[in-house]
């Protein structure tokens, strides 16, 4: 197929037609075209030589100067074109000469007929026979002379044409040699310039990386400082609140204690007053004498009593003595009582003094705390003022700085896009060689067909296989070949929520931290890119659970598949902030453009997780071979920038053209094979899978594949992959299905080179049996 297309294109570039005659000549595009011209010129010359005529007017081509540059080579090519046009004129004159010769031969044949008629009538016209014979002999001699002359002329012209051909070949070789020398000199200069440019770019990239590192470090430091400031502010406010509450509680408790002590002291004071009043009454009762005087009198009286004991006092003295003894006893009792009261009052006085000192200390502490509270209030006011200043300074800035910048950078729509894709089979063949030429990546045409057909069927793709086989490079190389855009988003192993994918809003900074995914999706919706295919590559997509961080995107993709219009997208925030970028709907929703495809790459090892069924069901899964097969690629011109409309139009044409092929595959998966799968494995192709097949199969067939190739991939990746790792299915059931698949495969039409069995599907079942330890 590739050779047929190449030969046709080469013949068109060479300017020849099927009859071998030269058509309007165009300048060849390279050395390959000149070789074709060198091969085609002798053939054209030989055909013209057969006709003979007029080649003597061919102009002599000018000799190219030594060391000719590209302009000299261009002049040589113009001279070659002039020579070829003159040669075409000579060929036309040779054609006219050939017609004249044929006419002469016809005349000769007529003369021979006349001769035979004359011989038949020789018996009747004897006299006329001699005359006729003489006439015939003369005419034959004349004809023979004419034939001899024309034969000699033909020989001379053949010799002259051969010389012309040799000069043309020599001129061609000289032009090729000079152009090759010019290309070598220009290539050396270009390679040197490219080497210098690459070195400069590497140095500039190193400087940019260093600057980016410094900016990231500064950003992290500012972020830490802001977080510390926020924590300090909150801690100060909490401390102030706790201190105020503690002070208020301590003051209340102290006031209650002081109030109780004051009440007790008042009660004690009243009691002392009462007791002092009683003491005063007793002193007055003793004649106003002090207790010491009374004690002295009692001692004196005791001495007198001792003296008088020897004498019997009169009855009046005894009565007075008894009275005085009773008064002494009462006085002693009052004295002991008052001494005890005095000790208690002394203790209370000491306690009151200690309380007063404690109150003074508490007052000093209260004043210190009040000063601290005032200082904290001033600090909080300063922080609030700084925060308010930051908030006011941020009000004029967009919360989405990167998206707002893209509004200005990518505002203009492209006017150089091509809306018509070549035939898909030619496109895939040429795409394979363009990728190999540009990136030195070697993919099989079948894998490129599956990838392109997957783009028509779904917006989500999973590329699986061993590490280092070009999973990430495939979508990047595809976008580069089409002069489209692609962004790579590395997936983190700690991603758990959609915010890890899309970013989050910081209310304190009044800024949305835009992730690489969010910026890529916004760029795809800018006017400069919305008319082109846009690929977002999620590298190592299964390092974390896609069903967690990618859940919002899966939901939006499902909604869009069921919705004809409307602005469906990802809600980045709950409320609008100003100024919002132009591309956000209502200031909060990031639209999901229809020109975007999500390409996830996945490795299968101990650091990754498995994909859930809902993710696999929505995606086109491709398993790339572990060992790419190298091939000799054809040097070809790069593609022009194709539009998103060109892809969609090519997919629609393929679907309309090969709708019957999709029907055959759906019938296979929904017929006896489908019944077998539902009965033995409880698996089937759902409505979503049937819809994808309606686009997938026609594009594979239109891209040069076959119905069986498309059905093999669909059966393996959309249906039988559900058997992997499910040990509730018996091994003998899997083995029986593997052995019976060729029988079901016979229901599909076979093209030349098609295998008689589904190779990928059988390999998948064999791998499952191998993992179970069975052949």
């Amino acid at each position: 197929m590739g050779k047929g297309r190449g030969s046709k294109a080469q013949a068109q570039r060479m300017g020849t037609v099927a009859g071998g005659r030269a058509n309007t000549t165009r300048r060849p595009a390279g050395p390959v075209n000149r070789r074709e011209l060198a091969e085609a010129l002798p053939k054209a010359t030989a055909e013209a030589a057969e006709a003979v005529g007029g080649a003597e007017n061919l102009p002599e081509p000018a000799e190219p100067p030594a060391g000719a540059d590209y302009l000299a080579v261009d002049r040589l090519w113009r001279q070659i074109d002039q020579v070829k046009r003159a040669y075409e004129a000579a060929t036309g004159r040779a054609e006219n000469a050939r017609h004249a010769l044929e006419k002469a031969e016809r005349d000769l044949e007529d003369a021979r007929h006349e001769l035979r008629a004359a011989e038949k009538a020789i018996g009747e016209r004897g006299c006329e026979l001699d005359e006729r014979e003489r006439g015939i002999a003369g005419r034959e001699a004349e004809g023979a002379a004419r034939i001899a002359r024309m034969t000699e002329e033909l020989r001379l012209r053949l010799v002259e044409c051969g010389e012309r051909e040799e000069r043309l070949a020599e001129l061609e070789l000289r032009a090729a040699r000079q152009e090759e020398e010019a290309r070598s000199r220009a290539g050396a200069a270009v390679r040197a310039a490219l080497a210098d440019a690459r070195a400069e770019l590497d140095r500039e990239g190193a400087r940019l990386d260093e600057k980016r590192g410094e900016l990231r470090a500064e950003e992290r430091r500012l972020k830490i400082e802001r977080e510390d400031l926020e924590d300090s502010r909150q801690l100060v406010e909490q401390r102030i609140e706790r201190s105020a509450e503690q002070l208020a509680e301590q003051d209340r408790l102290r006031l209650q204690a002081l109030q109780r002590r004051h009440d007790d002291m008042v009660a004690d004071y009243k009691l002392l007053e009462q007791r002092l009043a009683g003491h005063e009454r007793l002193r007055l009762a003793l004649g106003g004498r002090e207790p010491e005087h009374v004690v002295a009198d009692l001692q004196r009286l005791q001495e007198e009593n001792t003296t008088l004991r020897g004498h019997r006092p009169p009855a009046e003295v005894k009565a007075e003595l008894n009275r005085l003894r009773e008064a002494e006893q009462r006085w002693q009792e009052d004295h002991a009582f008052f001494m005890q009261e005095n000790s208690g009052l002394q203790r209370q006085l000491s306690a009151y003094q200690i309380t007063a000192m404690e109150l003074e200390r508490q007052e000093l502490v209260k004043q210190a705390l009040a000063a601290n509270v005032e200082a904290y209030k001033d600090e909080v006011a300063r922080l609030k003022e700084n925060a308010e200043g930051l908030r006011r300074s941020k009000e004029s800035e967009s919360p989405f700085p990167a998206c707002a910048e893209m509004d200005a950078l990518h505002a203009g729509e492209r006017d150089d896009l091509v809306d018509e894709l070549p035939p898909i089979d030619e496109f895939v063949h040429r795409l394979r060689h363009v990728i190999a030429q540009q990136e030195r990546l070697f993919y099989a045409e079948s894998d490129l067909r599956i990838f392109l057909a997957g783009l028509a069927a779904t917006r989500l793709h999973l590329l699986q296989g061993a590490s280092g086989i070009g999973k990430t490079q495939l979508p990047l190389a595809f976008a580069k070949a089409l002069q489209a855009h692609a962004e790579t988003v590395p997936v983190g192993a700690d991603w758990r929520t959609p915010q890890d994918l899309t970013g989050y809003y910081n209310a304190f900074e009044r800024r949305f931290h835009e992730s690489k995914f969010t910026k890529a999706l916004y760029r795809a919706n800018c006017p400069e890119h919305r008319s082109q295919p846009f690929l977002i590559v999620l590298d190592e997509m299964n390092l974390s659970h896609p069903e967690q961080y990618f859940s919002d995107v899966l939901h939006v993709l499902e909604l869009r598949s069921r919705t004809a219009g409307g602005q469906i997208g990802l809600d980045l925030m709950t409320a609008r902030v100003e100024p919002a970028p132009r591309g956000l709907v209502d200031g909060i929703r990031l639209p999901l453009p229809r020109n975007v495809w999500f390409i996830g790459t996945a490795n299968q090892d101990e650091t990754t997780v498995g994909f859930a069924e809902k993710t696999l069901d929505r995606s086109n899964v491709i398993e790339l071979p572990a060992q790419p097969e190298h091939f000799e690629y054809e040097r070809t011109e790069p593609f022009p920038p194709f539009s998103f409309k060109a892809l969609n139009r090519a997919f629609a044409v393929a679907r309309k053209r090969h709708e019957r092929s999709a029907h055959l595959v759906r019938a296979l998966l929904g017929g006896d094979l489908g019944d077998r799968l539902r009965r033995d494995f409880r698996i089937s192709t759902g409505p979503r899978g049937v819809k994808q097949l309606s686009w997938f199969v026609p594009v594979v067939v239109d891209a040069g594949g076959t119905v069986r190739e498309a059905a093999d991939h669909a059966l393996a990746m959309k249906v039988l992959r559900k058997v992997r790792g499910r040990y509730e299915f018996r091994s003998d059931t899997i083995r029986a299905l593997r052995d019976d698949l060729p029988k079901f495969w016979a229901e599909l039409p076979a093209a030349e080179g098609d295998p008689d069995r589904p190779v990928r599907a059988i390999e998948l079942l064999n791998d499952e049996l191998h993992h179970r330890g069975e052949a």
Side-chain angles (χ1 to χ4, degrees):
M1 182 184 300
K3 292 182 178 179
R5 286 192 299 270
S7 300
K8 181 178 179 182
Q10 292 164 2
Q12 291 174 350
R13 289 194 297 267
M14 194 175 67
T16 60
V17 294
R21 295 192 301 272
N23 203 342
T24 303
T25 306
R26 296 184 295 178
R27 186 181 307 162
V32 175
N33 294 330
R34 289 193 291 277
R35 286 198 299 271
E36 294 171 356
L37 182 60
E39 295 173 359
L41 281 175
K43 181 179 178 181
T45 303
E47 292 176 358
E50 293 176 2
V52 184
E56 65 276 7
N57 296 322
L58 287 175
E60 184 69 20
E63 186 71 16
D69 56 0
Y70 282 123
L71 294 176
V73 173
D74 188 74
R75 286 194 297 273
L76 289 175
W77 278 112
R78 286 198 295 269
Q79 292 172 1
I80 291 173
D81 291 342
Q82 183 181 3
V83 170
K84 290 177 66 177
R85 285 193 295 271
Y87 189 74
E88 291 171 9
T91 305
R93 290 192 293 273
E95 185 73 9
N96 295 333
R98 185 176 65 82
H99 289 311
L101 180 60
E102 291 175 353
K103 185 175 183 301
E105 289 176 349
R106 286 195 298 271
D107 293 339
L108 181 60
E109 187 66 22
D110 294 337
R112 287 174 180 166
H113 283 299
E114 292 176 0
L115 180 59
R116 285 194 294 271
E119 289 176 348
K120 187 182 292 184
I122 194 171
E124 300 175 355
R125 300 181 179 179
C127 296
E128 295 178 0
L129 179 58
D130 294 334
E131 296 177 0
R132 287 183 179 274
E133 284 181 352
R134 287 193 295 271
I136 289 171
R139 293 176 65 181
E140 285 180 351
E142 184 181 355
R146 287 179 61 191
I147 291 173
R149 287 195 304 272
M150 294 179 72
T151 302
E152 182 64 20
E153 185 180 358
L154 175 61
R155 186 183 65 77
L156 293 175
R157 290 186 180 181
L158 283 175
V159 172
E160 187 177 0
C161 287
E163 294 174 355
R164 301 281 185 182
E165 179 183 351
E166 290 176 359
R167 286 197 294 272
L168 284 174
E170 182 180 359
L171 184 59
E172 171 66 18
L173 291 176
R174 288 180 182 176
R177 198 159 42 244
Q178 290 173 0
E179 183 174 359
E180 189 63 33
E181 293 174 356
R183 284 180 180 272
S184 300
R185 291 194 298 274
V190 170
R191 283 193 293 273
L194 285 176
D196 295 339
R198 288 194 184 97
E200 182 63 27
L201 286 176
D202 292 340
R203 291 193 293 272
E204 185 66 23
R207 290 195 293 271
L208 289 176
D209 291 340
E210 183 178 355
K211 291 292 185 182
R212 290 192 187 99
E214 294 175 357
L215 289 175
R216 284 195 292 269
E218 183 67 18
E219 184 178 1
R220 287 194 295 270
R221 186 183 66 77
L222 291 175
K223 182 177 180 181
I224 292 172
E225 288 182 357
R226 291 192 187 99
E227 293 176 352
D228 293 342
L229 184 61
E230 178 68 15
D231 295 341
S232 300
R233 182 181 65 80
Q234 295 177 356
L235 183 60
V236 167
E237 291 180 351
Q238 293 173 1
R239 287 180 178 174
I240 291 173
E241 292 176 359
R242 287 198 297 270
S243 299
E245 293 174 356
Q246 292 173 358
L247 287 174
E249 183 65 21
Q250 291 174 2
D251 291 344
R252 186 178 63 80
L253 295 175
R254 290 193 186 98
L255 287 174
Q256 290 178 356
L258 290 173
Q259 185 64 35
R260 286 194 298 271
R261 290 180 182 179
H262 179 267
D263 295 340
D264 294 341
M265 290 177 69
V266 170
D268 293 340
Y269 180 74
K270 289 180 180 181
L271 182 59
L272 286 174
E273 283 183 343
Q274 293 173 0
R275 289 177 179 175
L276 287 173
H279 186 272
E280 185 66 23
R281 285 193 301 272
L282 179 60
R283 189 177 67 80
L284 292 174
L286 293 174
R289 294 183 297 174
E290 295 296 331
E292 293 82 3
H293 297 162
V294 174
V295 171
D297 289 344
L298 285 175
Q299 290 177 352
R300 183 178 58 78
L301 289 173
Q302 285 177 353
E303 292 175 354
E304 291 178 356
N305 186 28
T306 303
T307 305
L308 292 175
R309 281 184 182 279
H311 304 281
R312 295 191 59 83
E316 295 82 3
V317 175
K318 288 184 178 178
E320 181 66 19
L321 182 61
N322 291 331
R323 186 181 63 78
L324 290 173
R325 285 177 178 171
E326 290 176 357
E328 180 187 6
Q329 184 177 3
R330 288 196 298 272
W331 183 86
Q332 287 179 348
E333 291 176 355
D334 290 340
H335 180 267
F337 174 77
F338 287 132
M339 290 298 292
Q340 184 178 2
E341 287 291 329
N342 188 36
S343 299
L345 290 174
Q346 289 292 335
R347 288 193 299 273
Q348 288 181 357
L349 180 60
S350 299
Y352 289 152
Q353 289 175 349
I354 293 173
T355 302
M357 293 176 61
E358 180 68 21
L359 287 175
E360 290 178 359
R361 190 180 70 81
Q362 292 292 338
E363 183 65 25
L364 293 175
V365 172
K366 181 178 179 181
Q367 292 175 359
L369 289 175
N372 288 337
V373 168
E374 291 299 325
Y376 282 136
K377 286 182 179 178
D378 293 340
E379 181 66 18
V380 170
R382 187 182 67 81
L383 292 175
K384 287 183 178 179
E385 184 178 356
N386 290 341
E388 184 65 21
L390 288 174
R391 187 186 64 79
R392 286 194 301 270
S393 65
K394 291 289 185 180
E395 283 182 352
S396 60
E397 300 178 5
S398 174
F400 297 82
C403 295
E405 184 180 4
M406 281 188 276
D407 285 340
L409 292 178
H410 307 290
E413 296 187 3
R414 297 189 60 171
D415 56 359
D416 60 340
L417 300 180
V418 176
D419 292 336
E420 198 67 42
L421 204 70
I424 295 184
D425 55 347
E426 295 183 10
F427 173 75
V428 171
H429 174 79
R430 187 174 170 189
L431 174 67
R432 183 187 186 212
H433 292 271
V434 168
I435 292 177
Q437 179 177 330
Q438 291 180 348
E439 306 296 330
R440 297 302 185 270
L441 296 172
F442 300 92
Y443 298 103
E445 276 199 30
S446 59
D447 291 332
L448 293 179
R449 283 195 292 264
I450 297 299
F451 180 77
L452 188 65
L455 296 181
T458 177
R459 285 297 187 271
L460 179 61
H461 301 258
L462 298 178
L463 304 180
Q464 298 181 349
S467 179
I469 61 174
K471 299 188 296 295
T472 305
Q473 286 81 3
L474 174 56
L476 299 179
F478 176 82
K480 181 179 179 181
L482 270 65
Q483 299 189 39
H485 201 84
E487 286 284 348
T488 302
V489 179
V491 174
D494 57 342
W495 286 11
R496 296 292 181 271
T497 65
Q499 286 71 33
D500 294 323
L501 178 69
T502 59
Y504 61 92
Y505 181 71
N506 188 323
F508 181 72
E509 296 179 350
R510 199 177 174 277
R511 179 172 176 265
F512 189 91
H513 290 263
E514 303 146 295
S515 68
K516 194 170 184 180
F517 177 85
T518 298
K519 290 186 283 189
L521 203 56
Y522 191 89
R523 183 180 291 107
N525 202 32
C526 289
E528 183 179 346
H529 298 291
R530 68 167 58 128
S531 298
Q532 279 188 286
F534 199 102
L535 276 61
I536 298 179
V537 182
L538 299 168
D539 197 22
E540 300 290 346
M541 188 179 185
N542 61 336
L543 277 181
S544 186
H545 288 280
E547 295 73 31
Q548 294 177 356
Y549 69 84
F550 206 60
S551 59
D552 286 356
V553 181
L554 292 175
H555 175 68
V556 172
L557 286 174
E558 184 66 17
L559 281 180
R560 196 176 64 181
S561 67
R562 300 197 300 262
T563 306
Q567 290 288 356
I568 298 176
L570 304 174
D571 289 338
L572 301 181
M573 296 183 301
T574 57
R576 182 186 181 97
V577 291
E578 294 293 348
R582 292 196 297 266
L584 293 186
V585 179
D586 300 330
I588 61 173
R589 184 175 298 117
L590 178 61
L592 194 64
R594 293 188 177 274
N595 64 320
V596 171
W597 282 271
F598 302 99
I599 316 294
T601 66
N603 291 325
Q604 301 297 334
D605 53 39
E606 66 279 358
T607 65
T608 60
V609 297
F611 290 100
E613 183 61 32
K614 68 176 183 179
T615 304
L616 293 171
D617 194 45
R618 289 168 170 80
S619 60
N620 175 44
V621 183
I622 302 177
E623 289 193 359
L624 296 177
Q627 294 293 336
E629 183 178 352
H630 289 251
F631 57 89
E632 292 294 331
Y633 58 86
E634 302 172 1
R635 294 192 175 273
T636 181
E637 295 295 326
F639 286 117
F642 288 114
S643 65
F644 172 66
K645 184 190 298 183
L647 275 181
N648 274 349
R649 184 178 297 170
F651 294 156
V653 170
R655 182 181 183 183
K656 184 177 181 181
R657 184 181 299 162
H658 301 285
E659 187 175 359
R660 183 177 178 277
S661 299
H663 174 73
L664 292 173
V665 177
R666 291 196 301 266
L668 172 70
L669 298 180
D672 294 340
L673 177 58
D675 295 338
R676 173 81 169 269
L677 293 171
R678 284 189 293 272
R679 183 183 69 249
D680 294 347
F681 301 96
R682 300 186 301 279
I683 57 177
S684 62
T685 305
R688 185 184 293 109
V690 171
K691 181 179 179 182
Q692 292 177 3
L693 288 176
S694 299
W695 287 95
F696 178 82
V697 176
V699 175
V700 171
V701 176
D702 203 46
T706 64
V707 176
R708 289 193 173 188
E709 177 185 334
D712 190 8
H713 178 82
L715 178 62
M717 295 294 104
K718 301 297 289 183
V719 181
L720 294 182
R721 60 169 173 77
K722 301 177 183 179
V723 177
R724 283 179 171 172
R726 296 181 61 177
Y727 288 92
E728 67 268 26
F729 302 142
R730 294 168 54 89
S731 298
D732 54 355
T733 306
I734 297 176
R735 193 180 296 106
L737 176 63
R738 179 197 64 185
D739 296 339
D740 291 343
L741 278 180
K743 178 183 66 176
F744 296 110
W745 212 239
E747 300 176 10
L748 293 176
E752 183 180 355
D754 268 342
D756 59 351
R757 60 189 62 228
V759 177
R760 297 192 183 192
I762 291 177
E763 285 181 356
L764 186 144
L765 296 178
N766 284 334
D767 288 343
E768 177 63 21
L769 292 173
H770 177 73
H771 287 311
R772 299 183 179 204
E774 304 180 19

